[in-house]
C-alpha cells in the first residue's frame, strides 16, 4: 500500500490567497483526520471524518478553515483567506475503524508558508 | 478530560546508552496508548501500542514500553540507542470504544531526542 498521500508537500503563498491541501487516505480506511503542527502549539487535531462525514470539527481554528471529504479516497483542507499565522505543517492521517486497533497512519505532511 | 504529558522536552544521550522517555496520561479508565516517532521532515510513524494484556509491549526498531496503571504512565525504553534514533517522539492516548471521544487520539507535546556520537 502506498500509505497516506498528501499534496502538495510544500506550499508557499501570499497572505490573502486561498490554499487547498489534499489527502488520499489508505484504501479501506474509514476514518480520516487533519492535524496541524507548529512549534508553539504542537500537534493539534483540526477535524476528523468517519465514512466521509465530519464527526468533530471543534479544532478548526476559525471560519477561514474548511474541510471536505467528497468520497472515501479524497479529502481537502481549505484556508481562505490565508494568513501568516496559518504557517505550519499540516498532516492527514487515516485509520481502519472496523478493527480493534486504533492506530492512525500519517501522511508525510504539507509544509505551508504564508508570507 | 483526557490529557498526555511528556515531561521532557529535549533529551540527549550518547550512542549505545540506554534510553527512557516518559509519558503520563490522565484518563478515567484504561485508555489505548501509543508511541509515535517523527524524523525530520517526515510524518509520524507508529512505534508501538498498548490495548490490554501484557503491560510490557514490544515495538519496532528495538523499542519497548511499559504500562503502569498505578502511575498512569507509559514510558518508552530502548536498551542501546543508535544515531538513527535521533527524532521527535510522541506519546498518544485514545479513548476505548463507547466513549464520547472514540476515534480521536490526544498527543503529548513531544520529546526531542538527540544522540551524541
Amino acid at each position: 500500500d502506498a500509505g497516506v498521500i498528501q499534496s502538495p508537500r510544500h506550499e508557499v503563498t501570499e497572505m490573502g490567497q486561498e490554499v487547498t491541501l489534499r489527502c488520499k487516505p489508505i484504501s479501506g480506511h474509514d476514518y480520516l483526520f487533519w492535524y496541524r503542527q507548529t512549534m508553539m502549539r504542537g500537534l493539534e487535531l483540526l477535524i476528523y471524518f468517519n465514512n466521509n462525514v465530519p464527526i468533530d470539527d471543534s479544532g478548526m481554528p476559525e471560519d477561514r478553515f474548511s474541510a471536505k471529504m467528497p468520497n472515501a479516497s479524497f479529502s481537502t483542507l481549505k484556508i481562505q483567506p490565508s494568513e501568516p499565522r496559518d504557517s505550519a505543517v499540516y498532516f492527514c492521517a487515516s485509520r481502519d475503524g472496523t478493527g480493534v486497533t486504533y492506530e492512525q497512519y500519517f501522511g508525510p505532511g504539507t509544509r505551508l508558508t504564508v508570507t | 478530560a483526557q490529557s498526555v504529558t511528556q515531561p521532557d522536552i529535549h533529551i540527549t544521550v550518547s550512542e549505545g546508552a540506554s534510553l527512557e522517555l516518559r509519558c503520563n496520561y490522565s484518563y478515567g479508565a484504561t485508555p489505548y496508548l501509543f508511541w509515535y516517532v517523527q524524523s525530520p521532515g517526515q510524518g509520524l510513524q507508529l512505534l508501538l501500542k498498548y490495548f490490554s494484556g501484557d503491560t510490557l509491549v514490544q515495538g519496532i526498531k528495538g523499542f519497548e514500553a511499559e504500562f503502569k496503571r498505578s502511575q498512569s504512565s507509559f514510558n518508552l525504553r530502548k536498551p542501546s540507542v543508535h544515531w538513527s534514533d535521533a527524532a521527535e517522539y510522541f506519546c498518544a492516548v485514545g479513548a476505548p470504544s463507547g466513549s464520547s471521544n472514540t476515534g480521536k487520539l490526544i498527543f503529548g507535546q513531544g520529546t526531542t531526542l538527540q544522540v551524541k556520537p
Side-chain angles (χ1 to χ4, degrees):
Chain A
D1 198 313
V4 176
I5 299 172
Q6 292 186 246
S7 64
R9 292 294 310 276
H10 301 273
E11 177 80 42
V12 180
T13 191
E14 293 183 347
M15 182 175 62
Q17 296 299 305
E18 178 179 293
V19 176
T20 299
L21 311 181
R22 297 173 176 80
C23 175
K24 177 179 169 56
I26 293 172
S27 178
H29 283 191
D30 54 346
Y31 279 83
L32 184 139
F33 304 81
W34 281 102
Y35 291 88
R36 178 173 67 177
Q37 186 179 39
T38 61
M39 289 291 291
M40 291 296 294
R41 301 175 68 91
L43 197 62
E44 303 173 277
L45 176 64
L46 300 177
I47 185 172
Y48 77 97
F49 297 82
N50 179 215
N51 292 321
N52 313 336
V53 175
I55 303 301
D56 185 348
D57 65 355
S58 60
M60 296 286 263
E62 48 197 278
D63 292 346
R64 297 184 298 106
F65 286 70
S66 63
K68 294 182 180 179
M69 192 164 186
N71 57 62
S73 58
F74 183 66
S75 177
T76 59
L77 178 67
K78 186 176 294 186
I79 308 172
Q80 166 63 20
S82 58
E83 297 183 2
R85 59 190 167 125
D86 301 331
S87 297
V89 181
Y90 291 81
F91 288 104
C92 176
S94 71
R95 80 169 178 92
D96 178 2
T98 61
V100 297
T101 56
Y102 270 50
E103 65 263 32
Q104 297 176 15
Y105 295 86
F106 282 75
T110 295
R111 181 173 295 276
L112 173 65
T113 303
V114 183
T115 61
Chain B
Q2 292 172 278
S3 67
V4 179
T5 302
Q6 294 180 245
D8 305 305
I9 296 174
H10 191 278
I11 282 184
T12 300
V13 300
S14 298
E15 190 168 16
S18 63
L19 171 70
E20 181 169 34
L21 302 183
R22 296 183 292 164
C23 173
N24 294 99
Y25 67 90
S26 173
Y27 188 66
T30 300
Y32 298 154
L33 297 161
F34 307 83
W35 275 99
Y36 282 83
V37 60
Q38 183 181 25
S39 298
Q42 303 296 314
L44 278 70
Q45 180 185 19
L46 180 69
L47 280 176
L48 47 77
K49 61 191 178 190
Y50 171 79
F51 291 97
S52 64
D54 194 347
T55 57
L56 184 64
V57 294
Q58 303 297 320
I60 62 172
K61 305 184 180 186
F63 285 91
E64 66 178 26
E66 185 171 13
F67 168 60
K68 292 186 177 180
R69 185 191 308 273
S70 61
Q71 298 177 20
S72 296
S73 69
F74 188 57
N75 294 349
L76 182 70
R77 301 193 295 246
K78 186 169 186 178
S80 178
V81 170
H82 188 262
W83 65 266
S84 61
D85 294 325
E88 189 160 17
Y89 292 80
F90 292 91
C91 182
V93 166
S97 60
S99 160
S100 61
N101 287 325
T102 297
K104 295 168 63 172
L105 293 182
I106 307 299
F107 285 85
Q109 284 295 98
T111 298
T112 299
L113 173 65
Q114 183 179 1
V115 180
K116 294 190 301 183

